Every structure is written in C-alpha cells, then in structure tokens.
Amino acid sequence: MSICVHGLGYIGLATASLFANAGTDVTGFDVDECVIDRLNEGDPNVSEPELESYIQDALESNLTPSHRPQPADVHIICVPTPYDELNDGADLTYVKDAGRTVANVLRSGDTVVLESTVPPGTTTGILAPILSQGDLEIGEDVHLGYTPETVMPGNTLTELRTNDRIVGGVDEASVSAIKSLYEPLTSGEIHVAADPTTAEFVKLAQNAERNVSIAYANTLALLAENYGIDVRSAISLANNHPRVDILSPGPGVGGHCLPVDPHFLSDGSGATELLDIASQVNSRMPEHVIRLLEDAIDSLEDKTVAVLGITYKGNVSDTRNSPGLEIAKLLGTVTVDTRPAMDGGWDEGSVTIHDPRATDSRLQLVPLDVAVDGADAVIFGAAHDEFAALDPEDIRSKMAGRTVVDPVDVIDTAQWTEQGFDVRTL
Ligand code: SAJ
C-alpha cells in the first residue's frame, strides 16, 4: 500500500510519520516548497521533542517529502481551514486546492480521506464533486470519507496512537477501507458515523462543547470574585459530584481550534446563540485580567508590565489567538503580528514580553531577565513548566514592584506571597 499525505503541518506530518513508521511508503506533499526543503534537510520544526524524533525516524525510513503530489492507493488531506471572518465561516480554499491536486493523480480503486476540520457537508458537497470531475465516480470507483484528527497539541504523539477515531464514509466500502487503514495504528476504538456529514459535525461539536464549558468556568470565576471565593477550590469541590466535571477558568481561549471551530457550525438560523455567547465570555477574559492588575496597582500610567507566556496555552509554541498576547496588546505598546493594535482604552504603560517556547520571529520577545528588570508587575499568560519552576526571590530582586497576576494558575501563590508579592488570581 502507498499513501500520499497532502499538507505537512503539525497534523499532516504526524499522520504521515504514523503510517511511515508502521512500514507504509508515504509521500508527504505540501504546496509550501520551504516545508519540503526543510524536511529534506531532516528538520521537522515541531516543538514536541518526542514527536520531533518520531518524525525524524519516519524521514529516515518510509516518509518521502515531495514537491509534487504522487499517485497513491490512499490520499489523506490534512490542510488548514482558516476562519473567514468576512463570511463568518471556514475558508475552504486549501481543501478545494487539495481536492484538485488529488483529482489529478487519482486512479480507480484509490481511497481519499479528509482529516481537516470542516463545516458539515464539505466532504460530500464540496470535495466529492471536485474528485469526480474526471471519469471516476465516487463510491463506484473511489472510496471517500471523513475522519477528523482529534489530537491535543502538547500531547500529539500519544493521542495520535491512542485516541478513538470517528469515520464517516460515502458508502460501506469506503467505511471499511478507511477503518482498516487506521485500525492497526490506534489503540482507541474506531466509531462509524452514519455519513461524512455526521463525522464533520461531531468534530465541531467536540470543540464547541469545550469552548462552552470553558466559558462556564470563566463565568464562575467572575461570579466567585464577587463573593470573595477561590474559584479553583470551588470547582474542585463541585467536581466531586459524579456527574459534574467543570473545566478550569483562564485568561481566555486561544489556539486555532476552540475560538474558530464553533463558527463552522453557523448556519444563519440563530441556533448558535449559546456558542456565540460562550465565545464572547471567553474573549472578554484578557480585559478582566487587566482589571485584576489595575485593582492591584491603581493606574497603569507610566508602569512597566512584563507579560510572561504569550503562547495560546502552557508548554506549546503556537501563539495563534493567544490570550497572553491579547493582554500584552491591550496593555499598549507591543508590536506583534499583522493584526492592528487594539484600542482597549487602558492607560498606556509599557510592556515587555517573554516566552521560553514561542518561536514567532515577528514578536519582540526578550529574555526573562530583561522582561522583569525594573517591572512594576508581572502577568503570567501561559502555564509553561519553566514558570512553575521560577524562583520568586530571584524575580523579586530584579523587579521594581511586587504585583503578580496569575490567571493561568502556574505559580505557587503561597510561596510567592511569602516572598512579599501581591499575587492576584482569578
Ligand atoms: N483552556 C482553558 N481552560 C481549560 C482548558 C483549556 O482556559 O480548562 C484554554 C487553553 O488555555 C487554550 C484553549 O483553552 O487557550 C484551548 O486549549 P485546549 O487544550 O482546550 O485545546 P486545543 O485547542 O489545544 O486542542 C483542541 C482539543 N479539543 C478538545 O479537547 C475537544 C484537541 O483534542 C483537538 O484535536 C484540537 O482542539 C483540534 O485540533 O481541533
């Protein structure tokens, strides 16, 4: 059997390596020539060390990065589906392009699997017609189905090997072809959805549920503050109930999945009201974090704040939609990505940003010592292990002020308080 994986981002590369390390000949194709060149030099450029060496093993054995798509028994599409803000939905340009690329090399008897996160109806309504533009008939000549990736960034390799899989095929033969493809590679179960549209819906339902649940935890954080209650201990107590499992509050919801995917369910009917409110609750959290800071130091005017952690969550390098970065922008002077600076209405102070994991060269990151040197306050924006291990005495000796805001619950509050810090949490 031969496989061609289309799109060598984090998921495509991990998926291609999974098959290659199991002994299958895999071609990895990406439209970005730099990605292929880098991989041919043996550099996967991923931030999880275990995954990196797993990909390197694949590159040294059965994974061949290629500037051209190759004919193969199986085509797996793992291209991005960015949020199209203008139309409040998914930008399916890459999926359509990948479909056309596959169509050019498709043969009778081949199988095509879409893994990208897409609005319900994409596999049958958009991909299938593109694939069947030649003589080939979907179902009759070509197996087609949708099986979403569900791995958690930060734990990619483990989840790739152990997560359950959902498979939705256009017919029974497609389902069984796709099932037999993934079955040997995961210790999880393979669940069959009624059709590809159901499988697409399920993936979105999972991420939308998490987004809503986090919004609930954030709502509790705001309410608990009014009562002077420690929300994390309240949630932990509430979770002793056998049917209650509340998530953790934080400075907001980042990444390229949870803040985006609920929009893919939008059908214009107004039924997404709950999802929309959840997104609003989560997106207001960075402002709340700044309010916590203002409560502690009165005015931000002429103050220097160090934001430590600007990736979208702890122990990852990805900064997309990062709450920490949003906090830094709201505070004022950070020149970061291509989005316009936000006019948050806060008194302008000055901000330094430090992150031991972020790799985005557009960010003006500084070393920890520089970030905290003379700072009036520190805000933790991501719960990296490096921050849990910080020595408060050392940080105190460099800072001008004693205020720490920790909405990600990364430091030992008692230890830092003992060192004279005024620690504010959610
Ligand atoms: N967060 C909280 N509180 C929590 C959990 C998370 O505030 O209790 C925040 C995080 O700090 C982060 C954001 O939510 O800013 C998203 O992080 P996450 O760890 O919840 O999820 P992602 O975006 O890294 O990965 C999600 C996962 N989806 C689910 O758990 C349902 C992953 O399994 C998916 O594969 C991934 O989206 C994806 O690619 O769709």
PDB file of all heavy atoms in Angstrom, residues 117 149-153 159 163 203 206-207 210 214 218 247-258 261 312-314 323, ligand 1:
ATOM      1  N   THR A 117     -10.487  20.049   9.723  1.00  0.00           N
ATOM      2  CA  THR A 117     -11.740  20.441  10.377  1.00  0.00           C
ATOM      3  C   THR A 117     -12.566  21.296   9.411  1.00  0.00           C
ATOM      4  O   THR A 117     -12.088  22.341   8.962  1.00  0.00           O
ATOM      5  CB  THR A 117     -11.429  21.232  11.657  1.00  0.00           C
ATOM      6  OG1 THR A 117     -10.560  20.436  12.470  1.00  0.00           O
ATOM      7  CG2 THR A 117     -12.698  21.562  12.427  1.00  0.00           C
ATOM      8  N   GLU A 149      -9.005  14.571  12.791  1.00  0.00           N
ATOM      9  CA  GLU A 149      -7.927  14.415  13.784  1.00  0.00           C
ATOM     10  C   GLU A 149      -8.449  15.001  15.093  1.00  0.00           C
ATOM     11  O   GLU A 149      -9.215  15.977  15.063  1.00  0.00           O
ATOM     12  CB  GLU A 149      -6.649  15.101  13.304  1.00  0.00           C
ATOM     13  CG  GLU A 149      -6.713  16.621  13.146  1.00  0.00           C
ATOM     14  CD  GLU A 149      -6.573  17.392  14.444  1.00  0.00           C
ATOM     15  OE1 GLU A 149      -6.156  16.784  15.443  1.00  0.00           O
ATOM     16  OE2 GLU A 149      -6.907  18.593  14.462  1.00  0.00           O
ATOM     17  N   THR A 150      -8.026  14.416  16.205  1.00  0.00           N
ATOM     18  CA  THR A 150      -8.503  14.940  17.491  1.00  0.00           C
ATOM     19  C   THR A 150      -7.372  15.112  18.499  1.00  0.00           C
ATOM     20  O   THR A 150      -7.620  15.207  19.703  1.00  0.00           O
ATOM     21  CB  THR A 150      -9.576  14.003  18.112  1.00  0.00           C
ATOM     22  OG1 THR A 150      -8.978  12.713  18.274  1.00  0.00           O
ATOM     23  CG2 THR A 150     -10.815  13.905  17.254  1.00  0.00           C
ATOM     24  N   VAL A 151      -6.127  15.148  18.014  1.00  0.00           N
ATOM     25  CA  VAL A 151      -5.013  15.161  18.971  1.00  0.00           C
ATOM     26  C   VAL A 151      -4.882  16.505  19.678  1.00  0.00           C
ATOM     27  O   VAL A 151      -5.174  17.552  19.116  1.00  0.00           O
ATOM     28  CB  VAL A 151      -3.666  14.802  18.298  1.00  0.00           C
ATOM     29  CG1 VAL A 151      -3.710  13.399  17.733  1.00  0.00           C
ATOM     30  CG2 VAL A 151      -3.274  15.813  17.247  1.00  0.00           C
ATOM     31  N   MET A 152      -4.397  16.432  20.894  1.00  0.00           N
ATOM     32  CA  MET A 152      -4.199  17.617  21.732  1.00  0.00           C
ATOM     33  C   MET A 152      -2.778  18.127  21.542  1.00  0.00           C
ATOM     34  O   MET A 152      -1.821  17.421  21.891  1.00  0.00           O
ATOM     35  CB  MET A 152      -4.436  17.201  23.195  1.00  0.00           C
ATOM     36  CG  MET A 152      -4.161  18.281  24.202  1.00  0.00           C
ATOM     37  SD  MET A 152      -5.391  19.579  24.123  1.00  0.00           S
ATOM     38  CE  MET A 152      -6.658  18.924  25.195  1.00  0.00           C
ATOM     39  N   PRO A 153      -2.598  19.330  20.975  1.00  0.00           N
ATOM     40  CA  PRO A 153      -1.247  19.868  20.868  1.00  0.00           C
ATOM     41  C   PRO A 153      -0.570  19.845  22.241  1.00  0.00           C
ATOM     42  O   PRO A 153      -1.176  20.213  23.249  1.00  0.00           O
ATOM     43  CB  PRO A 153      -1.475  21.304  20.386  1.00  0.00           C
ATOM     44  CG  PRO A 153      -2.783  21.232  19.658  1.00  0.00           C
ATOM     45  CD  PRO A 153      -3.608  20.232  20.408  1.00  0.00           C
ATOM     46  N   GLU A 159      -1.678  10.946  21.735  1.00  0.00           N
ATOM     47  CA  GLU A 159      -3.094  10.960  21.325  1.00  0.00           C
ATOM     48  C   GLU A 159      -3.274  10.412  19.909  1.00  0.00           C
ATOM     49  O   GLU A 159      -4.298   9.811  19.598  1.00  0.00           O
ATOM     50  CB  GLU A 159      -3.671  12.366  21.473  1.00  0.00           C
ATOM     51  CG  GLU A 159      -3.684  12.822  22.927  1.00  0.00           C
ATOM     52  CD  GLU A 159      -4.826  13.750  23.288  1.00  0.00           C
ATOM     53  OE1 GLU A 159      -5.578  14.164  22.402  1.00  0.00           O
ATOM     54  OE2 GLU A 159      -4.951  14.054  24.492  1.00  0.00           O
ATOM     55  N   ASN A 163      -6.068   7.823  20.674  1.00  0.00           N
ATOM     56  CA  ASN A 163      -7.432   8.381  20.619  1.00  0.00           C
ATOM     57  C   ASN A 163      -8.364   7.503  19.788  1.00  0.00           C
ATOM     58  O   ASN A 163      -7.947   6.874  18.823  1.00  0.00           O
ATOM     59  CB  ASN A 163      -7.412   9.774  19.983  1.00  0.00           C
ATOM     60  CG  ASN A 163      -6.979  10.859  20.959  1.00  0.00           C
ATOM     61  OD1 ASN A 163      -6.568  10.548  22.074  1.00  0.00           O
ATOM     62  ND2 ASN A 163      -7.042  12.099  20.539  1.00  0.00           N
ATOM     63  N   LYS A 203     -16.891  16.386  15.085  1.00  0.00           N
ATOM     64  CA  LYS A 203     -15.619  17.078  15.381  1.00  0.00           C
ATOM     65  C   LYS A 203     -15.891  18.503  15.887  1.00  0.00           C
ATOM     66  O   LYS A 203     -15.331  18.960  16.884  1.00  0.00           O
ATOM     67  CB  LYS A 203     -14.748  17.115  14.130  1.00  0.00           C
ATOM     68  CG  LYS A 203     -13.634  18.113  14.143  1.00  0.00           C
ATOM     69  CD  LYS A 203     -12.483  17.707  15.044  1.00  0.00           C
ATOM     70  CE  LYS A 203     -11.503  18.855  15.245  1.00  0.00           C
ATOM     71  NZ  LYS A 203     -10.257  18.486  15.816  1.00  0.00           N
ATOM     72  N   GLN A 206     -17.418  18.590  19.390  1.00  0.00           N
ATOM     73  CA  GLN A 206     -16.446  18.364  20.474  1.00  0.00           C
ATOM     74  C   GLN A 206     -15.752  19.676  20.852  1.00  0.00           C
ATOM     75  O   GLN A 206     -15.669  20.031  22.033  1.00  0.00           O
ATOM     76  CB  GLN A 206     -15.403  17.321  20.029  1.00  0.00           C
ATOM     77  CG  GLN A 206     -15.959  15.905  19.956  1.00  0.00           C
ATOM     78  CD  GLN A 206     -15.010  14.929  19.263  1.00  0.00           C
ATOM     79  OE1 GLN A 206     -14.170  15.318  18.455  1.00  0.00           O
ATOM     80  NE2 GLN A 206     -15.164  13.655  19.569  1.00  0.00           N
ATOM     81  N   ASN A 207     -15.262  20.397  19.864  1.00  0.00           N
ATOM     82  CA  ASN A 207     -14.536  21.633  20.181  1.00  0.00           C
ATOM     83  C   ASN A 207     -15.475  22.734  20.676  1.00  0.00           C
ATOM     84  O   ASN A 207     -15.115  23.526  21.548  1.00  0.00           O
ATOM     85  CB  ASN A 207     -13.738  22.097  18.963  1.00  0.00           C
ATOM     86  CG  ASN A 207     -12.414  21.352  18.853  1.00  0.00           C
ATOM     87  OD1 ASN A 207     -12.066  20.572  19.727  1.00  0.00           O
ATOM     88  ND2 ASN A 207     -11.680  21.589  17.783  1.00  0.00           N
ATOM     89  N   ARG A 210     -16.185  22.145  24.346  1.00  0.00           N
ATOM     90  CA  ARG A 210     -15.080  22.561  25.227  1.00  0.00           C
ATOM     91  C   ARG A 210     -15.065  24.082  25.379  1.00  0.00           C
ATOM     92  O   ARG A 210     -14.834  24.604  26.461  1.00  0.00           O
ATOM     93  CB  ARG A 210     -13.755  22.039  24.643  1.00  0.00           C
ATOM     94  CG  ARG A 210     -12.592  22.100  25.611  1.00  0.00           C
ATOM     95  CD  ARG A 210     -11.478  21.167  25.172  1.00  0.00           C
ATOM     96  NE  ARG A 210     -10.266  21.341  25.931  1.00  0.00           N
ATOM     97  CZ  ARG A 210     -10.028  20.793  27.119  1.00  0.00           C
ATOM     98  NH1 ARG A 210     -10.945  20.037  27.687  1.00  0.00           N
ATOM     99  NH2 ARG A 210      -8.887  20.993  27.749  1.00  0.00           N
ATOM    100  N   ILE A 214     -15.509  25.948  28.946  1.00  0.00           N
ATOM    101  CA  ILE A 214     -14.513  26.884  29.493  1.00  0.00           C
ATOM    102  C   ILE A 214     -15.192  28.224  29.797  1.00  0.00           C
ATOM    103  O   ILE A 214     -14.897  28.866  30.813  1.00  0.00           O
ATOM    104  CB  ILE A 214     -13.319  27.055  28.527  1.00  0.00           C
ATOM    105  CG1 ILE A 214     -12.569  25.727  28.365  1.00  0.00           C
ATOM    106  CG2 ILE A 214     -12.355  28.124  29.039  1.00  0.00           C
ATOM    107  CD1 ILE A 214     -11.551  25.693  27.235  1.00  0.00           C
ATOM    108  N   ASN A 218     -15.156  30.251  33.227  1.00  0.00           N
ATOM    109  CA  ASN A 218     -14.793  31.671  33.310  1.00  0.00           C
ATOM    110  C   ASN A 218     -15.908  32.490  33.949  1.00  0.00           C
ATOM    111  O   ASN A 218     -15.653  33.422  34.720  1.00  0.00           O
ATOM    112  CB  ASN A 218     -14.452  32.212  31.915  1.00  0.00           C
ATOM    113  CG  ASN A 218     -13.080  31.737  31.447  1.00  0.00           C
ATOM    114  OD1 ASN A 218     -12.205  31.432  32.259  1.00  0.00           O
ATOM    115  ND2 ASN A 218     -12.883  31.660  30.140  1.00  0.00           N
ATOM    116  N   LEU A 247     -14.491  22.624  33.859  1.00  0.00           N
ATOM    117  CA  LEU A 247     -13.113  22.858  33.413  1.00  0.00           C
ATOM    118  C   LEU A 247     -12.485  24.018  34.202  1.00  0.00           C
ATOM    119  O   LEU A 247     -13.075  24.484  35.183  1.00  0.00           O
ATOM    120  CB  LEU A 247     -13.102  23.136  31.910  1.00  0.00           C
ATOM    121  CG  LEU A 247     -13.498  21.934  31.033  1.00  0.00           C
ATOM    122  CD1 LEU A 247     -13.533  22.334  29.568  1.00  0.00           C
ATOM    123  CD2 LEU A 247     -12.535  20.774  31.228  1.00  0.00           C
ATOM    124  N   SER A 248     -11.318  24.451  33.754  1.00  0.00           N
ATOM    125  CA  SER A 248     -10.599  25.498  34.503  1.00  0.00           C
ATOM    126  C   SER A 248     -10.789  26.870  33.880  1.00  0.00           C
ATOM    127  O   SER A 248     -10.704  27.007  32.662  1.00  0.00           O
ATOM    128  CB  SER A 248      -9.103  25.193  34.496  1.00  0.00           C
ATOM    129  OG  SER A 248      -8.867  23.917  34.984  1.00  0.00           O
ATOM    130  N   PRO A 249     -10.981  27.893  34.713  1.00  0.00           N
ATOM    131  CA  PRO A 249     -11.025  29.256  34.162  1.00  0.00           C
ATOM    132  C   PRO A 249      -9.613  29.673  33.746  1.00  0.00           C
ATOM    133  O   PRO A 249      -8.632  29.058  34.154  1.00  0.00           O
ATOM    134  CB  PRO A 249     -11.509  30.090  35.345  1.00  0.00           C
ATOM    135  CG  PRO A 249     -11.098  29.315  36.553  1.00  0.00           C
ATOM    136  CD  PRO A 249     -11.090  27.862  36.172  1.00  0.00           C
ATOM    137  N   GLY A 250      -9.517  30.709  32.945  1.00  0.00           N
ATOM    138  CA  GLY A 250      -8.201  31.172  32.494  1.00  0.00           C
ATOM    139  C   GLY A 250      -8.312  32.550  31.876  1.00  0.00           C
ATOM    140  O   GLY A 250      -9.367  33.189  31.934  1.00  0.00           O
ATOM    141  N   PRO A 251      -7.229  32.998  31.242  1.00  0.00           N
ATOM    142  CA  PRO A 251      -7.229  34.357  30.674  1.00  0.00           C
ATOM    143  C   PRO A 251      -7.931  34.455  29.335  1.00  0.00           C
ATOM    144  O   PRO A 251      -7.888  35.499  28.684  1.00  0.00           O
ATOM    145  CB  PRO A 251      -5.730  34.644  30.512  1.00  0.00           C
ATOM    146  CG  PRO A 251      -5.112  33.295  30.299  1.00  0.00           C
ATOM    147  CD  PRO A 251      -5.933  32.316  31.090  1.00  0.00           C
ATOM    148  N   GLY A 252      -8.579  33.372  28.910  1.00  0.00           N
ATOM    149  CA  GLY A 252      -9.254  33.374  27.611  1.00  0.00           C
ATOM    150  C   GLY A 252      -8.947  32.088  26.883  1.00  0.00           C
ATOM    151  O   GLY A 252      -8.168  31.266  27.364  1.00  0.00           O
ATOM    152  N   VAL A 253      -9.550  31.924  25.727  1.00  0.00           N
ATOM    153  CA  VAL A 253      -9.374  30.685  24.958  1.00  0.00           C
ATOM    154  C   VAL A 253      -8.635  30.993  23.663  1.00  0.00           C
ATOM    155  O   VAL A 253      -9.083  31.804  22.862  1.00  0.00           O
ATOM    156  CB  VAL A 253     -10.743  30.032  24.673  1.00  0.00           C
ATOM    157  CG1 VAL A 253     -10.620  28.921  23.656  1.00  0.00           C
ATOM    158  CG2 VAL A 253     -11.324  29.490  25.979  1.00  0.00           C
ATOM    159  N   GLY A 254      -7.488  30.354  23.506  1.00  0.00           N
ATOM    160  CA  GLY A 254      -6.686  30.617  22.314  1.00  0.00           C
ATOM    161  C   GLY A 254      -6.526  29.391  21.443  1.00  0.00           C
ATOM    162  O   GLY A 254      -7.219  28.386  21.605  1.00  0.00           O
ATOM    163  N   GLY A 255      -5.567  29.485  20.512  1.00  0.00           N
ATOM    164  CA  GLY A 255      -5.314  28.385  19.590  1.00  0.00           C
ATOM    165  C   GLY A 255      -6.074  28.582  18.288  1.00  0.00           C
ATOM    166  O   GLY A 255      -6.763  29.579  18.086  1.00  0.00           O
ATOM    167  N   HIS A 256      -5.976  27.601  17.429  1.00  0.00           N
ATOM    168  CA  HIS A 256      -6.636  27.725  16.120  1.00  0.00           C
ATOM    169  C   HIS A 256      -7.856  26.823  16.035  1.00  0.00           C
ATOM    170  O   HIS A 256      -8.424  26.653  14.964  1.00  0.00           O
ATOM    171  CB  HIS A 256      -5.649  27.396  15.002  1.00  0.00           C
ATOM    172  CG  HIS A 256      -5.086  26.011  15.106  1.00  0.00           C
ATOM    173  ND1 HIS A 256      -5.451  25.013  14.258  1.00  0.00           N
ATOM    174  CD2 HIS A 256      -4.220  25.470  15.996  1.00  0.00           C
ATOM    175  CE1 HIS A 256      -4.812  23.910  14.624  1.00  0.00           C
ATOM    176  NE2 HIS A 256      -4.068  24.169  15.663  1.00  0.00           N
ATOM    177  N   CYS A 257      -8.266  26.235  17.164  1.00  0.00           N
ATOM    178  CA  CYS A 257      -9.401  25.299  17.115  1.00  0.00           C
ATOM    179  C   CYS A 257     -10.612  25.840  17.882  1.00  0.00           C
ATOM    180  O   CYS A 257     -11.638  26.156  17.281  1.00  0.00           O
ATOM    181  CB  CYS A 257      -8.983  23.951  17.684  1.00  0.00           C
ATOM    182  SG  CYS A 257      -7.539  23.269  16.847  1.00  0.00           S
ATOM    183  N   LEU A 258     -10.490  25.937  19.199  1.00  0.00           N
ATOM    184  CA  LEU A 258     -11.662  26.294  20.007  1.00  0.00           C
ATOM    185  C   LEU A 258     -12.248  27.674  19.676  1.00  0.00           C
ATOM    186  O   LEU A 258     -13.477  27.822  19.608  1.00  0.00           O
ATOM    187  CB  LEU A 258     -11.329  26.195  21.504  1.00  0.00           C
ATOM    188  CG  LEU A 258     -11.625  24.838  22.170  1.00  0.00           C
ATOM    189  CD1 LEU A 258     -11.037  23.675  21.411  1.00  0.00           C
ATOM    190  CD2 LEU A 258     -11.166  24.830  23.608  1.00  0.00           C
ATOM    191  N   ASP A 261     -13.577  26.944  15.570  1.00  0.00           N
ATOM    192  CA  ASP A 261     -14.456  25.869  15.086  1.00  0.00           C
ATOM    193  C   ASP A 261     -15.957  26.097  15.336  1.00  0.00           C
ATOM    194  O   ASP A 261     -16.772  25.711  14.481  1.00  0.00           O
ATOM    195  CB  ASP A 261     -14.020  24.514  15.678  1.00  0.00           C
ATOM    196  CG  ASP A 261     -12.650  24.101  15.145  1.00  0.00           C
ATOM    197  OD1 ASP A 261     -12.110  24.833  14.300  1.00  0.00           O
ATOM    198  OD2 ASP A 261     -12.128  23.065  15.593  1.00  0.00           O
ATOM    199  N   TYR A 312      -0.603  30.176  23.160  1.00  0.00           N
ATOM    200  CA  TYR A 312      -2.032  30.114  23.456  1.00  0.00           C
ATOM    201  C   TYR A 312      -2.366  29.246  24.671  1.00  0.00           C
ATOM    202  O   TYR A 312      -3.467  29.362  25.221  1.00  0.00           O
ATOM    203  CB  TYR A 312      -2.839  29.678  22.232  1.00  0.00           C
ATOM    204  CG  TYR A 312      -2.912  28.195  21.955  1.00  0.00           C
ATOM    205  CD1 TYR A 312      -3.941  27.423  22.493  1.00  0.00           C
ATOM    206  CD2 TYR A 312      -1.982  27.567  21.138  1.00  0.00           C
ATOM    207  CE1 TYR A 312      -4.032  26.081  22.225  1.00  0.00           C
ATOM    208  CE2 TYR A 312      -2.066  26.214  20.871  1.00  0.00           C
ATOM    209  CZ  TYR A 312      -3.101  25.464  21.415  1.00  0.00           C
ATOM    210  OH  TYR A 312      -3.191  24.128  21.156  1.00  0.00           O
ATOM    211  N   LYS A 313      -1.417  28.411  25.102  1.00  0.00           N
ATOM    212  CA  LYS A 313      -1.583  27.683  26.372  1.00  0.00           C
ATOM    213  C   LYS A 313      -0.197  27.216  26.821  1.00  0.00           C
ATOM    214  O   LYS A 313       0.789  27.445  26.116  1.00  0.00           O
ATOM    215  CB  LYS A 313      -2.541  26.500  26.209  1.00  0.00           C
ATOM    216  CG  LYS A 313      -2.050  25.377  25.307  1.00  0.00           C
ATOM    217  CD  LYS A 313      -3.054  24.219  25.296  1.00  0.00           C
ATOM    218  CE  LYS A 313      -2.564  23.077  24.438  1.00  0.00           C
ATOM    219  NZ  LYS A 313      -3.494  21.940  24.427  1.00  0.00           N
ATOM    220  N   GLY A 314      -0.120  26.565  27.960  1.00  0.00           N
ATOM    221  CA  GLY A 314       1.167  26.159  28.505  1.00  0.00           C
ATOM    222  C   GLY A 314       1.849  25.070  27.682  1.00  0.00           C
ATOM    223  O   GLY A 314       1.197  24.217  27.080  1.00  0.00           O
ATOM    224  N   PRO A 323      -4.358  34.400  24.362  1.00  0.00           N
ATOM    225  CA  PRO A 323      -4.835  35.375  25.351  1.00  0.00           C
ATOM    226  C   PRO A 323      -3.689  36.200  25.939  1.00  0.00           C
ATOM    227  O   PRO A 323      -3.846  37.399  26.170  1.00  0.00           O
ATOM    228  CB  PRO A 323      -5.476  34.507  26.441  1.00  0.00           C
ATOM    229  CG  PRO A 323      -5.791  33.208  25.789  1.00  0.00           C
ATOM    230  CD  PRO A 323      -4.749  33.025  24.722  1.00  0.00           C
TER     231      PRO A 323
HETATM  232  N1  SAJ B   1      -8.375  26.281  28.318  1.00  0.00           N
HETATM  233  C1  SAJ B   1      -8.934  26.881  29.453  1.00  0.00           C
HETATM  234  N2  SAJ B   1      -9.454  26.083  30.414  1.00  0.00           N
HETATM  235  C2  SAJ B   1      -9.440  24.724  30.311  1.00  0.00           C
HETATM  236  C3  SAJ B   1      -8.884  24.131  29.177  1.00  0.00           C
HETATM  237  C4  SAJ B   1      -8.356  24.943  28.186  1.00  0.00           C
HETATM  238  O1  SAJ B   1      -8.983  28.108  29.574  1.00  0.00           O
HETATM  239  O2  SAJ B   1      -9.924  24.065  31.243  1.00  0.00           O
HETATM  240  C5  SAJ B   1      -7.829  27.127  27.244  1.00  0.00           C
HETATM  241  C6  SAJ B   1      -6.357  26.872  26.937  1.00  0.00           C
HETATM  242  O3  SAJ B   1      -5.502  27.577  27.818  1.00  0.00           O
HETATM  243  C7  SAJ B   1      -6.243  27.337  25.496  1.00  0.00           C
HETATM  244  C8  SAJ B   1      -7.606  26.957  24.913  1.00  0.00           C
HETATM  245  O4  SAJ B   1      -8.479  26.784  26.025  1.00  0.00           O
HETATM  246  O5  SAJ B   1      -6.095  28.741  25.418  1.00  0.00           O
HETATM  247  C9  SAJ B   1      -7.605  25.708  24.052  1.00  0.00           C
HETATM  248  O6  SAJ B   1      -6.791  24.723  24.647  1.00  0.00           O
HETATM  249  P1  SAJ B   1      -7.216  23.180  24.771  1.00  0.00           P
HETATM  250  O7  SAJ B   1      -6.090  22.484  25.444  1.00  0.00           O
HETATM  251  O8  SAJ B   1      -8.536  23.059  25.396  1.00  0.00           O
HETATM  252  O9  SAJ B   1      -7.425  22.715  23.274  1.00  0.00           O
HETATM  253  P2  SAJ B   1      -6.523  22.793  21.928  1.00  0.00           P
HETATM  254  O10 SAJ B   1      -7.036  23.937  21.113  1.00  0.00           O
HETATM  255  O11 SAJ B   1      -5.077  22.733  22.206  1.00  0.00           O
HETATM  256  O12 SAJ B   1      -6.961  21.410  21.212  1.00  0.00           O
HETATM  257  C10 SAJ B   1      -8.337  21.180  20.979  1.00  0.00           C
HETATM  258  C11 SAJ B   1      -8.670  19.790  21.533  1.00  0.00           C
HETATM  259  N3  SAJ B   1     -10.123  19.585  21.521  1.00  0.00           N
HETATM  260  C12 SAJ B   1     -10.792  19.048  22.565  1.00  0.00           C
HETATM  261  O13 SAJ B   1     -10.244  18.752  23.596  1.00  0.00           O
HETATM  262  C13 SAJ B   1     -12.249  18.834  22.385  1.00  0.00           C
HETATM  263  C14 SAJ B   1      -7.950  18.715  20.700  1.00  0.00           C
HETATM  264  O14 SAJ B   1      -8.330  17.427  21.129  1.00  0.00           O
HETATM  265  C15 SAJ B   1      -8.316  18.897  19.216  1.00  0.00           C
HETATM  266  O15 SAJ B   1      -7.667  17.933  18.409  1.00  0.00           O
HETATM  267  C16 SAJ B   1      -7.826  20.269  18.790  1.00  0.00           C
HETATM  268  O16 SAJ B   1      -8.565  21.249  19.574  1.00  0.00           O
HETATM  269  C17 SAJ B   1      -8.116  20.450  17.309  1.00  0.00           C
HETATM  270  O17 SAJ B   1      -7.168  20.323  16.509  1.00  0.00           O
HETATM  271  O18 SAJ B   1      -9.276  20.615  16.934  1.00  0.00           O
END
